[in-house]
Amino acid sequence: MRAIGPAVLAIAGVALPACRHTVPPRPSQVSIVPSQNAPGRPVTIPDEIRQYLNKPGFHWKCNQTAHFLLCYEPGSESERSIKDLEIIAEQDRDTVLQMLGVEQYQPRIYTFFVNSRRQLRSLIGFYGDGRSRPMQHATFYVINGPHTLAHEMTHEISSNLWGAAQPWIEEGLAVYTTEFPILDGDCHAYYMAHKLLPLEQLVNANWDSSMYSADITYTELGHFVKFLDKKYGMKQIQQVWRGGAESIPGVFGKSLADLEKEWLETLSKPVEPARTLIFRNWD
């Protein structure tokens, strides 16, 4: 199918009439390549997304899938991997929705791939490996090849469905959806090495990712959320998401300390460790 060129109608959806007092916005200089899975579906890029496409120093191409616009720079590793990334994005979206117990999610997700943390800071002012801006339905990744996109996608979907939450549960849920196959082995290894922190230091409204080692705390929070899901269910996690750490006794009928005791008992059982694969410094 023929790619859509960088025309005003293709990008903005509506061309502004010419007039002495109105200056039409500069069209985003990007070509949109429709996926075979989403032929002919129009893409109207909102202003809050066009600001990234028009960012000085960046040149974008975007591939359209059924639920995403995946944007990357020509000649990058992301471009060479874009067909894989199309598949991974759609598969990760299905996984996240399934784990959250959600059947449908309507918004298109605008995804940007950059080559380095320095590039990410230049694009959005944040220095790290990934970022989500749920109000814009935008996610950003430092990437040099195909890998999971589920972490930032979980922030995007859960925040839009359930509202804002305390950082500990936002990150714990995102790590759970991303690393669930290996969390048991990783967290068990930290437990055996006596590196886990008391949950009261993490499960509270004041925790942020800069307080302690992200390698440990992200894994610990992700495994704790996994434990809560497996024993009590996602509906209870959703209630805590909305009510915060202080709602835990009311939701589960027991204190955080009692839940921690149950959780640590599961970690005392032997588990074959697995290598952690995901990035850190997510937010």
Side-chain angles (χ1 to χ4, degrees):
M1 181 175 292
R2 181 173 62 88
I4 301 174
V8 174
L9 286 175
I11 298 300
V14 178
L16 295 178
C19 107
R20 290 179 57 190
H21 305 292
T22 302
V23 178
R26 181 166 61 89
S28 302
Q29 298 301 310
V30 58
S31 60
I32 300 177
V33 181
S35 167
Q36 293 181 353
N37 296 322
R41 184 183 175 193
V43 177
T44 301
I45 300 180
D47 290 342
E48 59 265 29
I49 298 302
R50 194 184 300 113
Q51 66 175 308
Y52 306 122
L53 293 173
N54 291 339
K55 189 78 173 183
F58 290 87
H59 304 280
W60 300 101
K61 290 176 64 177
C62 298
N63 279 39
Q64 171 194 354
T65 72
H67 302 102
F68 293 86
L69 197 67
L70 305 174
C71 299
Y72 52 91
E73 291 199 282
S76 65
E77 185 64 32
S78 297
E79 180 177 38
R80 291 186 284 273
S81 304
I82 193 59
K83 293 303 178 183
D84 290 331
L85 289 169
E86 286 185 5
I87 296 170
I88 291 168
E90 293 290 345
Q91 289 179 340
D92 282 356
R93 177 183 178 277
D94 290 343
T95 298
V96 170
L97 292 179
Q98 182 178 3
M99 293 182 73
L100 297 182
V102 177
E103 293 185 0
Q104 294 184 348
Y105 185 71
Q106 295 300 327
R108 184 186 300 280
I109 301 175
Y110 300 90
T111 298
F112 292 84
F113 301 117
V114 296
N115 300 319
S116 66
R117 292 179 178 180
R118 183 174 296 180
Q119 268 199 320
L120 186 60
R121 182 170 58 188
S122 177
L123 181 62
I124 65 171
F126 174 75
Y127 188 82
D129 292 317
R131 192 71 164 173
S132 172
R133 291 183 171 175
M135 293 296 293
Q136 299 176 346
H137 301 298
T139 57
F140 306 85
Y141 302 86
V142 176
I143 190 169
N144 57 9
H147 58 69
T148 180
L149 308 179
H151 187 110
E152 299 303 333
M153 201 182 300
T154 302
H155 288 312
E156 151 72 23
I157 294 173
S158 58
S159 294
N160 279 297
L161 290 176
W162 300 343
Q166 292 175 348
W168 71 268
I169 195 167
E170 284 195 357
E171 295 304 333
L173 185 62
V175 171
Y176 172 35
T177 59
T178 304
E179 304 184 33
F180 63 91
I182 59 171
L183 275 173
D184 289 344
D186 287 347
C187 202
H188 179 77
Y190 287 135
Y191 171 78
M192 295 301 294
H194 304 288
K195 292 185 176 181
L196 295 180
L197 294 168
L199 281 182
E200 65 179 359
Q201 294 181 217
L202 307 179
V203 181
N204 61 73
N206 298 318
W207 175 83
D208 70 62
S209 58
S210 65
M211 288 182 172
Y212 311 103
S213 167
D215 285 334
I216 297 173
T217 56
Y218 275 48
T219 297
E220 183 171 348
L221 288 170
H223 194 271
F224 181 60
V225 170
K226 179 178 180 178
F227 161 76
L228 294 178
D229 181 32
K230 296 302 181 183
K231 184 161 185 178
Y232 298 99
M234 190 57 68
K235 288 185 178 180
Q236 281 71 21
I237 292 175
Q238 182 179 342
Q239 292 179 49
V240 175
W241 178 282
R242 289 173 168 158
E246 54 272 26
S247 70
I248 284 177
V251 172
F252 296 105
K254 56 189 68 175
S255 67
L256 176 63
D258 289 336
L259 289 173
E260 182 173 28
K261 183 178 179 181
E262 293 179 2
W263 169 61
L264 292 176
E265 285 176 356
T266 69
L267 286 172
S268 66
K269 302 175 182 179
V271 177
E272 182 179 352
R275 181 177 61 87
T276 301
L277 15 122
I278 296 291
F279 327 24
R280 297 302 175 192
N281 296 330
W282 293 101
D283 205 30

